[in-house]
Amino acid sequence: MYVGNLSFDASFEDIKSLFEAHGGVEDVFIVKDRESGRPRGFAFVTMETKEGMDTAIEALNGEEFLGRPLVINEARPREERSGGGGGGRNFGGDRRGGGGGRNFGGDRRGGGGGRGDRRGGGDRDFGGGEY
């Protein structure tokens, strides 16, 4: 189950003991920032039974823990993220081709074939149209 709005000071043992009052705890995973290694303020707790999970959600959702009201619900599968695309970002203006790179406004005619085509265009263009 997802456990959100956790105090950054909450430890594995703190979270495990909180949930053990509602059933057997199989696992506690505190999500941490990849770069700093600090907790991100949420965790996933796996209970031994569905009944234990339901009881814990009912009892603890909205309850204060280490100074913060918890947000607890059944975890959903992670949504698929689309992979990196080609082409770049466009922020206004005409989108007729333009090749790779980022466009920030104006008319981008010429170059390659637009999104996904990295053969033409080349440089990033931060201008506002043709002069």
Side-chain angles (χ1 to χ4, degrees):
M1 77 190 100
Y2 167 84
V3 181
N5 203 32
L6 276 173
S7 165
F8 297 112
D9 298 325
S11 70
F12 173 89
E13 287 301 323
D14 291 334
I15 298 167
K16 185 176 180 190
S17 63
L18 176 70
F19 282 88
E20 280 179 329
H22 306 285
V25 175
E26 224 172 79
D27 186 42
V28 174
F29 177 70
I30 300 172
V31 179
K32 296 186 178 182
D33 182 79
R34 274 185 228 163
E35 294 181 22
S36 70
R38 292 185 301 214
R40 293 187 56 198
F42 66 99
F44 293 96
V45 176
T46 305
M47 303 292 283
E48 290 177 358
T49 65
K50 170 105 168 85
E51 293 77 23
M53 179 187 71
D54 292 340
T55 301
I57 291 172
E58 182 69 30
L60 298 174
N61 188 36
E63 292 298 309
E64 193 166 302
F65 178 64
L66 299 178
R68 300 181 78 162
L70 295 175
V71 175
I72 304 173
N73 50 55
E74 189 170 352
R76 296 179 301 272
R78 190 170 184 179
E79 291 182 15
E80 289 292 320
R81 291 186 183 181
S82 61
R89 299 181 183 132
N90 297 316
F91 297 94
D94 190 356
R95 298 294 159 256
R96 299 178 202 165
R102 294 183 175 145
N103 296 319
F104 293 90
D107 187 358
R108 300 292 171 260
R109 298 175 195 175
R115 283 187 83 92
D117 185 353
R118 294 184 170 243
R119 291 173 291 188
D123 295 331
R124 292 181 176 165
D125 186 353
F126 300 100
E130 296 179 353
Y131 295 101

